[in-house]
Amino acid sequence: MSDTRTVVVPDGLEGERVDAGLSRLLGLSRNKVADIAAEGGVLMGSKALGKGDRLLAGELVTVTLPPENQAPPVLPSTESIPGLRVVHEDTEIIVVDKPAGVAAHPSVGWKGPDVVGGLAAEGYRISTSGAAERQGIVQRLDVGTSGLMVVAKSERAYSVLKQAFRDRVVEKTYHTLVQGLPDPLQGTIDAPIGRHPGHDYRFAVMSNGRPSITHYELLEAHRAASLLEVHLETGRTHQIRVHFSAMGHPCAGDLTYGADPTLAKRLGLVRQWLHAVELGFTHPGSGEWVTFTSEYSEDLQAAIDQLRG
């Protein structure tokens, strides 16, 4: 008996070959995915995909696994998450303040806690739209990034909010501490981002990447680092981290993208200094504009206090 898996293609796999991208998502070898595709077992909508076809972010892909390769479902965590705070809840949405070290949703290869499971453990009901492991999730934050996320409770909210993020009408504001002093002090980074050709799970500014636009302005300048306010026009995976690394000003503590480990140690950082401080959008139920804010987490506050002191 065969097993059918339906997955939503994440932004980070946009443009990836079917065999390469689905091998990551499903935990199978590229050769096995290629064999499944050759048998007509990979569908995007009603279209059968070959191993060399390209994945499109946000699309549903259905994969029919042969019996010997049935993959267990990626299940959300089932325990409460310390530090996961519900900022707002109504019949349509839940707004959470996510701590660092927590994924937005479960995924292949991630063994830690996730927002979907954390909410379920606390008895919150969320939308059943989307792939099983990503129910209700309309946006994502990196595991190492803290701050605000909105999760859909109703099917209507899921549909409305997903479209709002696609249409770039959601106001996403971040604060980040970057090394050095950017020049100019206020500006826009317009540089396409794609998957790094030499490193899995890393991204880079690339001429053939997806359009990516980041607006920033200086809040505080210190000897070793600068505190910036950032507004995202697009929402690519690792966008802020990649853009400032490409400028020569990586996020403090972000060793993956070239941050100075000596400075990270001095500031007590074990992850990137990056926080989603404000989230604004049209409420999917009332139609009114709503805005939510979040204070810095303890580790980020301690780092900035160290610079100020």
Side-chain angles (χ1 to χ4, degrees):
M1 181 177 180
S2 62
D3 175 37
T4 299
R5 297 288 306 280
T6 300
V7 295
V8 179
V9 179
D11 289 346
L13 293 183
E14 168 76 20
E16 279 281 301
R17 285 172 53 105
V18 165
D19 53 358
L22 293 183
S23 70
R24 291 194 181 98
L25 284 176
L26 301 177
L28 301 174
S29 69
R30 287 183 65 165
N31 286 339
K32 179 53 66 176
V33 175
D35 290 343
I36 295 171
E39 296 294 325
V42 180
L43 300 177
M44 188 161 62
S46 59
K47 178 186 176 183
L49 299 179
K51 66 178 182 179
D53 287 334
R54 301 292 172 170
L55 296 171
L56 299 176
E59 294 291 330
L60 288 175
V61 175
T62 301
V63 181
T64 301
L65 301 171
E68 67 271 19
N69 287 107
Q70 288 184 8
V74 181
L75 299 175
S77 58
T78 57
E79 297 182 357
S80 298
I81 300 173
L84 180 66
R85 185 170 66 93
V86 173
V87 175
H88 172 85
E89 182 199 11
D90 57 41
T91 58
E92 302 285 343
I93 60 172
I94 301 173
V95 179
V96 300
D97 199 343
K98 184 186 84 66
V102 178
H105 55 73
S107 60
V108 174
W110 173 249
K111 304 299 183 183
D114 59 82
V115 170
V116 172
L119 290 175
E122 295 295 332
Y124 290 100
R125 180 187 63 81
I126 59 178
S127 167
T128 58
S129 294
E133 67 272 17
R134 300 178 184 178
Q135 292 178 358
I137 296 296
V138 295
Q139 68 166 134
R140 295 185 295 275
L141 291 180
D142 293 347
V143 170
T145 300
S146 52
L148 295 169
M149 283 180 55
V150 59
V151 181
K153 288 183 65 177
S154 71
E155 311 305 303
R156 175 177 63 178
Y158 182 87
S159 177
V160 170
L161 288 172
K162 284 291 284 186
Q163 192 60 50
F165 277 98
R166 290 193 192 101
D167 292 342
R168 305 179 185 178
V169 293
V170 176
E171 291 288 339
K172 299 170 286 185
T173 305
Y174 296 78
H175 284 183
T176 185
L177 186 70
V178 302
Q179 294 180 190
L181 183 64
D183 182 17
L185 303 181
Q186 178 175 342
T188 295
I189 307 170
D190 186 349
I193 292 175
R195 184 170 291 279
H196 196 295
H199 300 275
D200 285 344
Y201 308 111
R202 281 183 58 183
F203 297 81
V205 170
M206 303 175 65
S207 60
N208 61 347
R210 301 178 70 193
S212 307
I213 301 174
T214 301
H215 307 284
Y216 71 91
E217 61 180 300
L218 179 70
L219 295 178
E220 297 179 16
H222 300 278
R223 179 171 298 178
S226 303
L227 183 65
L228 307 179
E229 181 165 292
V230 177
H231 294 267
L232 292 184
E233 189 168 323
T234 54
R236 309 303 178 211
T237 303
H238 298 181
Q239 179 172 322
I240 294 173
R241 301 166 64 190
V242 171
H243 270 171
F244 285 103
S245 176
M247 284 183 69
H249 300 286
C251 300
D254 193 1
L255 304 188
T256 298
Y257 286 102
D260 178 4
T262 302
L263 178 62
K265 183 177 181 179
R266 178 161 73 86
L267 298 180
L269 292 172
V270 295
R271 51 106 168 189
Q272 65 266 18
W273 203 113
L274 180 58
H275 188 72
V277 296
E278 188 170 290
L279 185 63
F281 53 89
T282 299
H283 192 284
S286 68
E288 297 179 352
W289 184 262
V290 292
T291 302
F292 303 94
T293 59
S294 167
E295 300 293 329
Y296 299 157
S297 54
E298 290 184 5
D299 60 331
L300 302 188
Q301 187 63 55
I304 197 69
D305 286 345
Q306 171 80 2
L307 287 175
R308 290 168 177 165

